[in-house]
Amino acid sequence: MNVFDLSPAQIRNRVIFRSRRAALAAGVGPQPPTRPHGHAEAAPAGATWVPVVPCVSVAPGDVVQLAESDYRYADGPLLLRIVRVRPELSEWYDGEWVWLEGVEIGPDQDAAFRPVLARVAALQPEG
């Protein structure tokens, strides 16, 4: 078997495997966690970054109104009935953003399931 018989994924996996094997042979152990991309400040030497689980005041079944600036990848205001709050996916956003799964409520459209990355400060259940 030569390199021309392998798919690109197989080649990539072999390169990764060989680099990991070489790192283990060189004595390089696991590296401490780093901050996610987009954070300008770096952790001090010897310190590790601890994820923050967001604290939200909404629960499944609540309806929230989000302005365009209160959720990512926005295309106008959003009315969302929450089906699920995902803190395990949200812990890397410094407690400022949370992943929600819900049903988009609109006057002239069918209810559509939608995952949303929303600003925690904007989450207030509709009365």
Side-chain angles (χ1 to χ4, degrees), residues 83-96:
V83 174
R84 185 172 170 192
V85 179
R86 303 291 305 266
E88 76 280 3
L89 294 179
S90 307
E91 62 186 6
W92 300 102
Y93 297 97
D94 290 335
E96 297 175 14

Side-chain angles (χ1 to χ4, degrees), residues 37-94:
H37 297 296
H39 289 278
E41 68 275 0
T48 58
W49 184 72
V50 178
V52 177
V53 177
C55 180
V56 295
S57 61
V58 293
D62 289 344
V63 176
V64 292
Q65 173 75 40
L66 297 171
E68 191 170 353
S69 62
D70 292 331
Y71 68 103
R72 295 288 174 102
Y73 317 114
D75 58 353
L78 174 69
L79 191 60
L80 186 76
R81 180 179 310 280
I82 298 174
V83 174
R84 185 172 170 192
V85 179
R86 303 291 305 266
E88 76 280 3
L89 294 179
S90 307
E91 62 186 6
W92 300 102
Y93 297 97
D94 290 335

